[in-house]
Amino acid sequence: MESKTHINVRNLNVFYEEHQALKDITLDIPDKKITAIIGPSGCGKTTLLKSLNRLIDLTEGVKVSGSVFVDGENIFNPGVEVTHIRKKMGLLSQRPCPLPMSIFDNVAFGPRIHGIKDKKELQNIVEHYLKETSLWDDVKDRLHTSASKLSIGQQQRLCLSRCLAVEPEIILGDEPTSALDPQSSLRIENRFRVLKDNYTIVIVTHILRQAKRLADYIVLLYCGELIEHGPAQEFFENPKEKLTKEYISGVIS
Amino acid sequence: MGLRNIELRKLEEIIFKILMIVATVIITGSLAFIIVIIIVKGLPAMKLSMITQLPKGGFYIGKEGGILNAIAGSLMVAGGATLLSIIISIPVVLYINIYRKKRSRLANLTRFSFDVLWGVPSIVYGAFGFTVMLAFGIKASLLGGIIAIGFLELPIMSRAVDEVVRMVPSELKEATYSLGATKLETSYKVIVRQTFSGIVTATLIAFGRGIGDAAAVIFTAGYSDYIPDSLSQPAATLPLAIFFQMGTPFPEVQERAYASAFILTLIILVISITSRIIAVKITKHTIK
């Protein structure tokens, strides 16, 4: 690959049965920056995000052509080890989805399946990553209670800790703050600002203001097509496409 | 017009409410009725010796003894059969829901077979089991009973487990996969845990159905006055014990049949209550 970034999308087409959800997308996602995928509902934002770690495979009746390179490896090649691809990419979903186990076990789940058995080490990992999302002080006295008892905001931070504990290089977020209250959203956004020093972050958002205040790089999709992408400042201040101008000014939504 | 309309709708509401109450009473009432009948009719024969002793000589014409052979035999047959059906149904359900797309042709074909197998009369399972046993040279035995009842329980168990596994939110699977978990890890570390109370319920429904069935064990498990001490020995079962005692002309033996029915009902009741308690304790982490 000529490009040196982590994730390169090349001529990606995704079909759901007869409907084409993504049309010939070619894109490089910049490293160690926050990229926001924006666009109206149903434009293929989530489809693009899920193509990056092949969660798209789970959808019924899906067909994919083209390629997504992660660290130079086309993840849609038949022989690719999916778990290894997914381990590189943490995912935050729209609604936080804790696993049906305790807070501790949620964070320890990833490290455990990837081979860490030592109790002390697991304890350190859990503590470290819960501190990383400033959840530690809230939960340190009830690590062994059920994760589903936490508030939604806390659950989303737990999910972030859980995903960081696998030591990914990339974090994917599918509208990760849309189910949260403003306070909790802010915490997650602030966390992303810190994390981008070490991780490549890609989020889907339908909130234009969030993209503006958070993202370094913007990708605009419309009806499955890539309309425009570029550094955030340039994108918002000096959009090249007519559709982008209309979208930014709220003519289309 | 408007007012009349409201009157009419109120009347409609009352009529349907009454119908629903009647239906509810029929269900709960029939359970109560069955329990009352077996208690009243079986009470005279209800002695401790019924559950602590094997049938002695002349038991079936009203002499001393109990039905410990059938209690133990039934628990062994239904226990073994339930184990067998868990071992087969859980992998099947996980395969069609996790490894295949849950609405794929194979998944639907498998679900269709559950439905057909569910409808197969239990005497056919008995005959099927008997044919297989003949082919392998197995005599009527505990093993034969376990296999026949196991196959009888299989579709019940599979369908009930399929129901709950299908309901697992896709976000939960996505969350697990995105941590780099394999399908197997996702299945047994997350899906089974998430659906555990459903699996327990399925197990108990299947067990209840298995322990109460007479037709499938007639040829396959045989009958014996002793408790089997190996898989190759014949085993008595409660439904057959009830059948044999009910068929005698002696009123005191018929009373014992009702007492046996009461014991069978009690076993199902105790097992269903304890498994529910266990399920509640274990599923405290379940994600709603």
Side-chain angles (χ1 to χ4, degrees), chain A:
Chain A
M1 289 305 299
E2 75 279 19
S3 175
K4 292 284 177 284
T5 70
H6 267 324
I7 309 175
N8 321 106
V9 182
R10 291 292 176 270
N11 309 101
L12 183 70
N13 290 287
V14 177
F15 297 85
Y16 295 129
E17 309 286 353
E18 296 306 304
H19 170 69
Q20 185 165 10
L22 285 181
K23 295 170 188 162
D24 200 33
I25 308 286
T26 293
L27 179 69
D28 293 325
I29 308 252
D31 289 350
K32 306 217 165 152
K33 292 221 162 38
I34 300 176
T35 299
I37 305 172
I38 60 170
S41 319
C43 69
K45 300 187 295 279
T46 302
T47 303
L48 178 56
L49 191 80
K50 285 188 178 172
S51 302
L52 302 182
N53 66 352
R54 277 190 55 184
L55 274 183
I56 194 84
D57 294 9
L58 303 184
T59 317
E60 310 266 338
V62 74
K63 265 204 324 256
V64 180
S65 73
S67 27
V68 173
F69 294 91
V70 175
D71 295 331
E73 182 183 19
N74 180 7
I75 62 168
F76 283 103
N77 271 347
V80 161
E81 184 59 57
V82 204
T83 55
H84 154 78
I85 299 294
R86 290 185 183 141
K87 184 184 177 300
K88 284 191 196 174
M89 299 192 234
L91 175 79
L92 272 187
S93 55
Q94 223 171 82
R95 283 189 57 82
C97 192
L99 304 177
M101 47 190 84
S102 71
I103 295 169
F104 184 95
D105 290 340
N106 258 273
V107 184
F109 184 87
R112 274 189 185 132
I113 58 175
H114 297 298
I116 297 174
K117 293 206 171 66
D118 184 59
K119 266 205 175 125
K120 192 82 202 111
E121 199 181 344
L122 282 172
Q123 264 162 10
N124 291 338
I125 291 173
V126 170
E127 183 174 342
H128 175 78
Y129 287 106
L130 285 173
K131 279 180 174 160
E132 190 86 332
T133 59
S134 34
L135 191 60
W136 175 253
D137 288 327
D138 298 3
V139 300
K140 63 176 184 233
D141 302 322
R142 46 174 175 146
L143 286 175
H144 296 284
T145 60
S146 182
S148 58
K149 300 274 190 303
L150 295 172
S151 75
I152 297 287
Q154 288 171 325
Q155 285 184 16
Q156 193 63 306
R157 278 186 281 153
L158 177 69
C159 291
L160 185 56
S161 301
R162 181 181 70 194
C163 115
L164 295 178
V166 185
E167 298 179 344
E169 295 156 22
I170 300 148
I171 299 170
L172 308 175
D174 185 5
E175 301 189 20
T177 62
S178 65
L180 309 185
D181 61 275
Q183 195 76 42
S184 307
S185 305
L186 206 65
R187 277 169 183 269
I188 296 278
E189 283 187 16
N190 287 336
R191 198 36 57 188
F192 280 164
R193 286 197 185 88
V194 177
L195 289 171
K196 74 173 179 185
D197 292 340
N198 298 309
Y199 301 88
T200 300
I201 300 174
V202 185
I203 60 164
V204 162
T205 179
H206 65 277
I207 312 163
L208 207 52
R209 271 173 297 137
Q210 186 177 47
K212 251 183 199 167
R213 64 176 176 257
L214 195 60
D216 306 301
Y217 198 84
I218 309 283
V219 176
L220 173 65
L221 296 180
Y222 191 78
C223 295
E225 282 179 59
L226 178 59
I227 302 301
E228 185 169 350
H229 62 105
Q233 205 177 2
E234 206 180 306
F235 181 93
F236 285 112
E237 285 172 9
N238 198 8
K240 292 182 194 72
E241 301 291 326
K242 185 167 163 282
L243 260 167
T244 311
K245 284 177 200 151
E246 288 179 352
Y247 187 73
I248 294 172
S249 60
V251 178
I252 51 167
S253 58

Side-chain angles (χ1 to χ4, degrees), chain B residues 15 29 58-59 99 102 112 120 123-124 129 137 150 156 167 174 186 201 211 218 231 251:
Chain B
I15 290 170
F59 177 70
Y99 282 75
K102 58 185 176 188
F112 178 68
V120 170
I123 187 79
V124 176
I156 300 164
M167 298 301 277
E174 290 180 2
T186 306
T201 312
I211 201 169
I218 276 188
L231 281 171

Side-chain angles (χ1 to χ4, degrees), chain B residues 6-230:
Chain B
I6 284 174
E7 290 291 310
L8 206 68
R9 286 166 64 199
K10 266 190 188 161
L11 186 68
E12 200 178 63
E13 185 75 16
I14 291 168
I15 290 170
F16 276 90
K17 205 166 138 192
I18 290 171
L19 287 177
M20 288 171 195
I21 291 171
V22 169
T24 312
V25 169
I26 288 174
I27 294 276
T28 47
S30 58
L31 175 63
F33 184 68
I34 288 172
I35 291 176
V36 168
I37 288 287
I38 56 182
I39 290 179
V40 168
K41 290 210 169 190
L43 203 58
M46 206 65 93
K47 279 183 286 185
L48 194 63
S49 63
M50 274 294 277
I51 58 168
T52 56
Q53 287 183 17
L54 295 174
K56 301 213 167 112
F59 177 70
Y60 297 99
I61 54 168
K63 298 225 172 100
E64 284 296 288
I67 51 158
L68 182 62
N69 61 329
I71 296 172
S74 263
L75 289 174
M76 287 175 184
V77 169
T82 307
L83 200 66
L84 182 69
S85 76
I86 291 174
I87 291 170
I88 300 176
S89 64
I90 290 186
V92 170
V93 170
L94 290 175
Y95 183 68
I96 61 170
N97 283 289
I98 310 294
Y99 282 75
R100 292 305 185 104
K101 302 229 160 122
K102 58 185 176 188
R103 282 193 287 276
S104 66
R105 196 171 296 172
L106 181 89
N108 286 333
L109 183 70
T110 310
R111 288 195 186 101
F112 178 68
S113 353
F114 294 160
D115 289 353
V116 176
L117 286 174
W118 186 308
V120 170
S122 65
I123 187 79
V124 176
Y125 284 105
F128 163 75
F130 187 60
T131 318
V132 172
M133 284 160 58
L134 279 182
F136 285 94
I138 307 171
K139 292 196 186 101
S141 60
L142 181 56
L143 181 65
I146 287 174
I147 293 169
I149 296 288
F151 274 88
L152 173 84
E153 288 184 18
L154 197 53
I156 300 164
M157 181 88 197
S158 305
R159 270 210 7 188
V161 176
D162 182 50
E163 273 327 301
V164 290
V165 171
R166 236 185 326 171
M167 298 301 277
V168 172
S170 58
E171 289 86 359
L172 188 59
K173 280 182 263 176
E174 290 180 2
T176 317
Y177 290 142
S178 72
L179 295 170
T182 59
K183 289 191 166 175
L184 187 63
E185 284 158 349
T186 306
S187 300
Y188 75 89
K189 289 192 173 147
V190 175
I191 307 291
V192 169
R193 212 185 254 249
Q194 169 75 7
T195 55
F196 195 79
S197 81
I199 293 175
V200 171
T201 312
T203 307
L204 103 95
I205 294 170
F207 183 91
R209 181 74 181 74
I211 201 169
D213 195 81
V217 286
I218 276 188
F219 312 120
T220 53
Y223 201 83
S224 155
D225 281 350
Y226 301 96
I227 297 170
D229 51 21
S230 83

